[in-house]
Amino acid sequence: MVGTNCIYINEGSFGYNKSGKDVVVLKNINLEFCIGDFIGVVGLNGSGKSTLLKSLCGLLPLLSGDVFIKQKLLSDFTNNQLSKQVSIVLTEKIGGFNLTVFDAVAAGQLPYTNLFNKLDAHHLEIINHAINVCGLTTHRNKLLSELSDGLFQKTMIAKCLAQQTLIMLLDEPSAYLDYGSKHELFKLLKTFSEENKKCILLSSHDLNFILKYCNKVLLIQGGNAQLIKTQAAIGNPVFTELSGGYL
Ligand code: ADP
């Protein structure tokens, strides 16, 4: 149901453990994200956007506090259970293998296959749907290495869609896209959050696109995180500061 919280962070501290010592990046954060939210995560380089996104999908351990996914503690999920609830697109480009668009998107269905990762007609239907919705139908047999940045990002999003998760996390997916492709990407994700009832967190420096397409903005600064409605961004002193005073 739209508006129902699907991520709840209670006094969460996020960061790294180096040689047995905690390096805290975000401290004592209290937040909730809901189904239907399309949230732009904004902060200067090094402020902790990636750290937060990686922690919410279990790639980084929580330093302290609690994270709940659909009212269940994140730490109580098995990897397979979590991969059915949360998907992530990282900044690093995957490559090196002769994977096609189809192969990459099909990877999204792996949590739902048997021990031998065999895809049946139902899996293929979901994979093909994700490919089509993301406008990749004519590119399905292309190698990832042959794709433009825009098509590569769409492929990664199609993989998340095929993963059928309620929560999608995307770390700077628009960074290397041309102007038109940025619009397409944001528009596609807005549709998913609204029509497919997903909760999407996307980090980006494209503040104008966040203002146009996201319904909420998560401002990350000085170890804190503040969630506001997009309408309240203009005039918010932190948002203004993060825009370098230009917005
Ligand atoms: P952002 O995504 O906002 O650019 P990050 O989350 O990548 O910021 O980084 C936040 C802070 O955590 C930075 O000070 C960065 O140097 C530090 N950091 C990032 N990765 C690691 C790591 N693997 N080990 C220790 N510190 C890290």
Side-chain angles (χ1 to χ4, degrees), residues 49-57 88 169-171 201 203:
K49 302 181 296 297
S50 301
T51 304
L52 176 67
L53 296 180
K54 286 177 183 167
S55 303
L56 293 181
C57 66
I88 187 162
L169 309 172
L170 301 103
D171 198 4
L201 276 86
S203 72

Side-chain angles (χ1 to χ4, degrees), residues 6-247:
C6 56
I7 303 179
Y8 174 58
I9 304 172
N10 177 41
E11 293 291 314
S13 289
F14 305 93
Y16 303 87
N17 191 285
K18 269 191 166 173
S19 321
K21 277 184 81 175
D22 283 350
V23 180
V24 181
V25 176
L26 296 169
K27 196 171 162 61
N28 297 344
I29 303 295
N30 293 292
L31 287 170
E32 65 176 38
F33 307 124
C34 296
I35 298 169
D37 274 347
F38 180 22
I39 300 164
V41 183
V42 174
L44 299 181
N45 288 332
S47 58
K49 302 181 296 297
S50 301
T51 304
L52 176 67
L53 296 180
K54 286 177 183 167
S55 303
L56 293 181
C57 66
L59 280 179
L60 281 175
L62 198 62
L63 296 183
S64 64
D66 296 311
V67 172
F68 295 87
I69 305 287
K70 287 168 72 180
Q71 284 80 47
K72 176 174 162 176
L73 267 178
L74 177 62
S75 52
D76 284 348
F77 282 85
T78 63
N79 285 342
N80 183 271
Q81 286 169 342
L82 197 57
S83 64
K84 291 176 181 170
Q85 300 297 336
V86 189
S87 54
I88 187 162
V89 176
L90 296 168
T91 45
E92 300 87 23
K93 234 187 174 187
I94 58 161
F97 304 104
N98 283 336
L99 288 183
T100 62
V101 167
F102 176 86
D103 297 332
V105 179
Q109 269 291 296
L110 291 185
Y112 303 91
T113 55
N114 64 17
L115 213 56
F116 306 104
N117 293 335
K118 189 163 169 18
L119 298 169
D120 64 20
H122 178 64
H123 299 128
L124 289 172
E125 193 182 316
I126 291 162
I127 294 161
N128 288 329
H129 176 72
I131 288 174
N132 296 341
V133 167
C134 292
L136 295 164
T137 314
T138 57
H139 307 285
R140 55 185 286 128
N141 295 321
K142 280 192 183 158
L143 293 174
L144 294 187
S145 55
E146 296 172 345
L147 300 179
S148 65
D149 288 330
L151 287 177
F152 181 85
Q153 286 302 347
K154 280 187 182 174
T155 303
M156 293 300 103
I157 289 166
K159 184 238 161 209
C160 287
L161 204 58
Q163 208 172 322
Q164 296 183 292
T165 60
L166 181 65
I167 298 159
M168 290 171 68
L169 309 172
L170 301 103
D171 198 4
E172 299 200 29
S174 59
Y176 300 106
L177 304 189
D178 57 58
Y179 186 75
S181 302
K182 283 182 203 254
H183 273 290
E184 278 186 32
L185 177 104
F186 273 86
K187 217 189 287 182
L188 191 64
L189 292 167
K190 182 177 160 68
T191 314
F192 291 163
S193 65
E194 289 175 352
E195 292 176 11
N196 299 38
K197 313 277 179 281
K198 292 185 181 291
C199 171
I200 302 178
L201 276 86
L202 165 149
S203 72
S204 176
H205 295 294
D206 288 314
L207 302 187
N208 280 320
F209 288 85
I210 285 176
L211 289 176
K212 183 172 170 63
Y213 292 104
C214 295
N215 69 324
K216 291 181 187 165
V217 184
L218 182 64
L219 302 167
I220 298 198
Q221 191 198 43
N224 292 314
Q226 180 194 359
L227 186 65
I228 59 171
K229 291 205 166 136
T230 305
Q231 301 93 293
I234 299 294
N236 179 295
V238 177
F239 186 80
T240 303
E241 198 180 330
L242 294 177
S243 74
Y246 287 95
L247 288 171

